[in-house]
Amino acid sequence: MSNAAADIPFIPALYASNREDAPIDMLVLHYTDGPSLEDCVAIFQDPERRVSCHYIVGLDGAVLQMVRDEDCAWHCGTSAWRGREGCNRWSLGIEIVNWGRLEKKDGSFYCWPEDYGTPYNGPSPVSAGGDWWAPYPSVQVDQVESLSGRLVERYRIPLDHIVRHSDIAPDRKIDPGPAFPWSAFKARMTEVIAGRW
């Protein structure tokens, strides 16, 4: 089966490849660095970008799949975890729509495009880790937990292989960032696994 659920719409990304018989035993969470699910779809259908991901979760909790589970999406880049390099082959990737880190200038907030020159007009920023961040709406977090739980259960993904992009590429990536409730998310995944494997 190639979907976490039959009701998840599928729009194919341009880029994916063969897993070469590597087992699916990792789940990687990202943020999109963008404003919307549609914006992320456009990136994954842009021949110049050469990136893709299995699932996208919108601000309103909408879920879309762009690469089949059995195929390798191009979401990790240069990465390593537990002695293995190139995490794309073993992982499923979830992109969470979020602007990520923000900069505050003269009382206003800006996001990263054009060197943090793009005005931010999303939900009220939150302060964490000495920076400002776009928040994750609760309906979105709930959907990320639900989708992740289904994937973790389906593929029997071990808890220490449920990771952030920043865990597998710490010199390059900061997503999903400190605004994402990582500890609560991992606690929920612990409940899903509950000693079953």
Side-chain angles (χ1 to χ4, degrees):
M1 189 177 293
S2 57
N3 263 342
D7 60 344
I8 296 178
F10 182 84
I11 297 176
L14 285 187
Y15 295 105
S17 52
N18 192 295
R19 289 189 184 274
E20 301 172 359
D21 297 323
I24 297 171
D25 67 2
M26 287 186 72
L27 179 67
V28 182
L29 298 193
H30 308 257
Y31 61 41
T32 59
D33 262 336
S36 68
L37 190 147
E38 293 76 17
D39 181 71
C40 191
V41 169
I43 289 171
F44 293 160
Q45 293 188 325
D46 181 350
E48 300 295 319
R49 299 300 287 266
R50 300 182 66 82
V51 290
S52 60
C53 203
H54 294 92
Y55 298 92
I56 310 168
V57 179
L59 290 168
D60 62 356
V63 180
L64 184 68
Q65 185 170 13
M66 294 196 71
V67 174
R68 301 288 183 193
D69 290 3
E70 62 264 25
D71 294 328
C72 176
W74 299 5
H75 60 107
C76 296
T78 302
S79 54
W81 188 249
R82 300 287 192 254
R84 296 189 308 195
E85 295 186 2
C87 295
N88 283 336
R89 285 185 59 209
W90 295 276
S91 66
L92 293 168
I94 299 175
E95 287 278 1
I96 311 166
V97 173
N98 185 275
W99 269 120
R101 194 176 79 81
L102 307 172
E103 285 195 5
K104 190 173 185 179
K105 303 174 187 177
D106 300 322
S108 297
F109 290 95
Y110 295 85
C111 13
W112 72 268
E114 299 173 19
D115 195 25
Y116 288 93
T118 302
Y120 170 74
N121 60 2
S124 296
V126 296
S127 177
D131 277 313
W132 290 97
W133 302 83
Y136 292 88
S138 58
V139 65
Q140 183 184 43
V141 172
D142 289 348
Q143 188 64 266
V144 171
E145 287 184 354
S146 175
L147 173 62
S148 298
R150 282 184 279 174
L151 294 171
V152 165
E153 190 166 14
R154 169 167 292 167
Y155 296 104
R156 301 173 67 87
I157 297 172
L159 189 64
D160 67 345
H161 282 204
I162 303 169
V163 298
R164 298 164 287 196
H165 201 185
S166 57
D167 294 323
I168 62 172
D171 297 332
R172 300 186 304 112
K173 296 295 180 178
I174 58 174
D175 55 317
F180 185 79
W182 183 249
S183 295
F185 172 79
K186 286 295 288 268
R188 178 71 189 99
M189 294 306 103
T190 301
E191 292 173 4
V192 170
I193 294 169
R196 283 179 284 170
W197 61 84

